[in-house]
Amino acid sequence: MAQEILLTYQIIRRQYLSYKISDLFPANEKKTENNNPTTQQQPAPNNTHGLLNKKVFENYLSQQKPYLNPDFKLTDMAEIMGVNRTVMSNFINQTYGMNFRRYLNLCRIKEYQALIVHPSNKGKNPYQVMAMAGFKDSRHFQRAIQLENIYKEQTHKEP
């Protein structure tokens, strides 16, 4: 009973592992020549659940733009990609060399830059455009800009 309670708690907190046997042991599918349906199952072509790679990740971000939601979190992205938050965090750190929050803020800054020059937003207040880009408020926006400037200065100083 204690194990069930612990598992339920981990699921609620979204700190559980989500994987498929075929993801863990892809070589088994190629080595076995029999027609056993359990070893030859292929995911549906449009099913991105559990398939974490750069192309799928970037396509989802560019098409769905979840970063426009100010409350979008790492656990939300991990759930969408079909992995746990640790795997998602490690993927972003290794692929892009930054943490999820910084990556999300970069997406929002780029969105802000695109929106601010768009003709339909000419008469809008910059604070409205910031909100449209996914920032909660001006404090979050200015903090993201300051941090990016610091990161750029640090990378230029290093040889």
Side-chain angles (χ1 to χ4, degrees), residues 4-5 21 28 32 47 53 55 89 93-94 110 157:
E4 290 177 7
I5 293 170
I21 297 298
N28 288 346
T32 58
N47 183 10
N53 63 47
K55 183 179 177 184
S89 178
N93 287 335
Q94 291 174 359
K110 288 177 186 174
K157 287 181 184 178

Side-chain angles (χ1 to χ4, degrees), residues 126-127 130-131 135-146:
Y127 295 108
M130 284 184 329
F135 289 101
K136 281 189 178 186
D137 54 35
S138 62
R139 193 183 104 233
H140 285 94
F141 175 73
Q142 290 179 354
R143 179 77 173 144
I145 296 292
Q146 288 172 351

